[in-house]
Amino acid sequence: MKKKEYSRRKFIKHSTLTGLGIGLTASVTPNLFSSCQSDGTAAILGGQPVRTKEWPKWPIWNTETDEERVIKVLRSGVWSRSDTVIEFEEKWAETIGSKRCLATTNGTSAQITALRQLGIGAGDEVIVSPYTFIATIQTVLMVGAIPVFVDTNPATFQIDTDKIEEKITSRTIAIQPVHILGLPANIEKIMDIARKHKLLVIEDACQAWQAEVNNKKVGTFGDAGCFSFQNSKNIPIGEGGAIVSDNDEFMDRCFSFHNFGRPHGKVVGTVSGGYEILGSKCRITEYQAAIGLAQLKRLDGQNTHRETNAKYLRAQIQDIPGILPYELSENVTRAVFHLFPFRYKKEEFQGLSRSKFLKALSAEGIPCSSGYKPLNTMPYLKDAFESKNFQKVYPKEMLDFDGYLQRNQCPQNDQLCEEAVWFGQNMLLGTRSDMNDIAGAIEKIHKNAGNLKDLA
Ligand SMILES: Cc1ncc(COP(=O)(O)O)c(C=O)c1O
């Protein structure tokens, strides 16, 4: 790797990746030793940071074309679900390669709607991964079912498909796999298992817009695919979600559910059709759809840019001892890198803890995060088990919480959560030289590891 030239010196106060929703913060200590030379000293110890330049900001929008769409909606006075939402749904279905799409208020409501309309509820077990955003699990609990955790493959950061079958019981009704970080799970193997055991599959593709396995978009393998368009996401709307499926009957029910149980149809405001099913309200607005349509134009190009940079960065850091970049699952033809992950092995950094590594990396001007914590042990599970609904529906032995925790241990995931490091998707929208900065900063910390161990 090329040696970096640390020529310029600047005071960096606080560079924060706002809106990433994942707590990626680079708090760069103001450097008070401006006489310091670029001698390779770690920035956190008073040396010159590898970079002082800003990272690409997120979200990105075009003040002419994007604003024009939103203003058009604003001036129309039609703000509740109408033609713009329908246009967004049609375009999203086309983008993903699905027959139908229903836009919802967010990814969480997409998942709850899909789970409910697939008939999943009290008494059911749903197989999930513990390495995910909380919504993957909470949506299962919200429909009254019990999440069953399958350990994570630390190399891919995805559900370990070799461990799924041993978790299937007579109560298992579905798998809700997540394509986490924008890297596809081994969805073909998951579908084989689901077919063999007659299980439903609800893909949580909330971080994987346009990711592909064997040239087929994730979200289109299972009975339903769910997406999120929250502000940090690769296609940001602020808030928004979608369900995709080829099954008309299921999609009609989803539509109905998301509109108070009124019959499926274009007009959402009418009460004349009555209420066919128990419903709720998860409709998105016209101006959300207008932003979505504008963002959609950029998604493909940005995803390609991210993937190109991710591959390059991976190649630059893979030989640094103690850095284990992500591996892709079998047959992945496109990854969309909502996050760029690697595992950090402190043994190769003279025992430097991950938290100190992250602080030192941030000080070099590289925003980074430790990522998820294990979701299979947190108190929200007990709260659900102790709720009135669960207490009334489930037999006592199923609500034995200690037994549940015991059955749901995920040791590989525990270790992964101790070792993971992430970079945000906006960083991958930078230049090749930006990727070199990241790699250079990691190398620099590796060289300085011995001096950094005593950091507070
Ligand atoms: C993996 C995953 N699933 C589900 C969700 C829920 O999406 P939303 O925040 O739009 O409700 C998110 C959002 O962060 C997510 O990352």
Side-chain angles (χ1 to χ4, degrees):
M1 172 152 331
K2 265 205 197 156
K3 272 217 155 181
K4 289 271 136 336
E5 208 188 308
Y6 307 118
S7 55
R8 280 195 307 145
R9 164 147 228 89
K10 265 191 194 166
F11 288 86
I12 311 168
K13 287 206 182 102
H14 198 82
S15 123
T16 305
L17 292 179
T18 47
L20 271 179
I22 43 175
L24 280 182
T25 303
S27 292
V28 183
T29 317
N31 194 328
L32 302 174
F33 306 100
S34 54
S35 59
C36 215
Q37 299 304 304
S38 53
D39 59 358
T41 306
I44 203 161
L45 298 177
Q48 182 86 9
V50 166
R51 92 183 248 130
T52 54
K53 244 173 71 187
E54 297 245 332
W55 290 92
K57 290 222 178 341
W58 191 259
I60 291 168
W61 68 94
N62 181 302
T63 41
E64 275 164 37
T65 54
D66 295 23
E67 286 179 12
E68 198 182 294
R69 279 220 78 135
V70 178
I71 287 167
K72 197 171 150 213
V73 165
L74 185 73
R75 290 184 179 159
S76 75
V78 181
W79 299 344
S80 200
R81 183 192 161 96
S82 188
D83 292 347
T84 320
V85 175
I86 292 167
E87 187 185 341
F88 178 73
E89 289 175 341
E90 285 170 0
K91 293 240 163 75
W92 188 247
E94 192 188 318
T95 302
I96 294 303
S98 185
K99 186 172 171 195
R100 295 267 297 267
C101 166
L102 176 75
T104 60
T105 42
N106 49 48
T108 306
S109 61
Q111 274 175 264
I112 291 175
T113 305
L115 285 161
R116 276 194 70 103
Q117 298 318 316
L118 286 168
I120 298 165
D124 295 330
E125 290 179 349
V126 177
I127 288 185
V128 290
S129 160
Y131 199 76
T132 185
F133 182 68
I134 184 69
T136 316
I137 318 301
Q138 283 187 335
T139 51
V140 172
L141 292 162
M142 289 302 288
V143 300
I146 289 189
V148 173
F149 292 92
V150 169
D151 213 345
T152 308
N153 176 343
T156 60
F157 293 70
Q158 308 299 319
I159 193 166
D160 186 341
T161 45
D162 290 338
K163 296 203 158 86
I164 293 178
E165 283 192 279
E166 66 201 50
K167 291 291 181 88
I168 294 173
T169 71
S170 58
R171 290 178 183 269
T172 310
I173 190 168
I175 309 175
Q176 181 154 261
V178 54
H179 305 283
I180 204 66
L181 317 178
L183 313 181
N186 190 345
I187 190 68
E188 292 177 321
K189 179 129 184 239
I190 292 167
M191 292 310 298
D192 286 346
I193 295 168
R195 273 188 286 270
K196 182 171 156 197
H197 295 273
K198 300 194 170 35
L199 303 177
L200 296 160
V201 175
I202 304 93
E203 291 178 76
D204 180 340
C206 284
Q207 295 187 4
W209 327 254
Q210 294 189 314
E212 292 174 2
V213 173
N214 262 329
N215 301 308
K216 185 173 160 63
K217 302 270 188 310
V218 304
T220 63
F221 286 83
D223 298 276
C226 298
F227 296 88
S228 166
F229 309 118
Q230 180 269 340
N231 228 56
S232 70
K233 300 302 199 288
N234 294 21
I235 165 167
I237 296 184
E239 299 292 348
I243 308 166
V244 298
S245 170
D246 290 346
N247 181 335
D248 284 321
E249 195 263 328
F250 162 70
M251 289 302 285
D252 287 353
R253 283 183 67 86
C254 287
F255 183 97
S256 184
F257 178 80
H258 107 302
N259 187 33
F260 304 111
R262 288 174 188 148
H264 170 251
K266 279 191 173 185
V267 185
V268 291
T270 172
V271 291
S272 59
Y275 303 94
E276 295 189 330
I277 64 170
L278 172 63
S280 184
K281 190 190 196 187
C282 330
R283 299 178 339 212
I284 68 162
T285 61
E286 287 285 280
Y287 34 84
Q288 284 171 290
I291 296 173
L293 283 163
Q295 289 294 343
L296 188 48
K297 292 216 162 92
R298 283 184 280 273
L299 179 68
D300 193 44
Q302 288 175 339
N303 276 341
T304 301
H305 191 124
R306 289 182 185 102
E307 191 178 29
T308 306
N309 268 340
K311 281 183 183 162
Y312 177 76
L313 177 59
R314 189 185 189 287
Q316 300 310 299
I317 65 173
Q318 66 182 357
D319 294 330
I320 303 174
I323 301 296
L324 302 179
Y326 68 88
E327 301 281 346
L328 292 177
S329 307
E330 277 167 42
N331 301 330
V332 169
T333 42
R334 189 180 199 189
V336 295
F337 295 95
H338 181 51
L339 292 144
F340 179 104
F342 63 88
R343 281 178 289 158
Y344 169 77
K345 296 281 182 190
K346 66 175 180 200
E347 309 81 78
E348 301 285 349
F349 279 70
Q350 303 188 46
L352 181 73
S353 69
R354 179 184 59 170
S355 63
K356 289 180 182 173
F357 170 79
L358 291 170
K359 271 191 197 162
L361 196 54
S362 294
E364 298 296 343
I366 313 295
C368 49
S369 156
S370 55
Y372 294 129
K373 301 245 175 337
L375 289 181
N376 52 324
T377 55
M378 286 188 195
Y380 72 95
L381 290 161
K382 193 153 197 268
D383 188 53
F385 276 38
E386 286 174 352
S387 68
K388 208 169 182 179
N389 285 0
F390 272 61
Q391 292 285 328
K392 292 226 161 158
V393 165
Y394 284 97
K396 251 199 160 56
E397 63 275 14
M398 278 196 77
L399 297 184
D400 159 26
F401 196 64
D402 290 339
Y404 175 78
L405 288 181
Q406 198 64 28
R407 287 192 302 280
N408 283 281
Q409 285 183 2
C410 295
Q412 293 175 174
N413 187 66
D414 293 344
Q415 190 175 344
L416 178 63
C417 291
E418 293 291 318
E419 295 178 345
V421 177
W422 295 350
F423 300 129
Q425 52 88 6
N426 65 312
M427 294 165 75
L428 297 174
L429 293 176
T431 61
R432 187 156 275 202
S433 149
D434 292 335
M435 300 305 108
N436 287 336
D437 283 346
I438 299 176
I442 297 174
E443 272 199 343
K444 186 179 171 191
I445 293 166
H446 187 258
K447 283 194 191 118
N448 277 279
N451 307 327
L452 293 167
K453 276 196 333 201
D454 296 333
L455 276 177

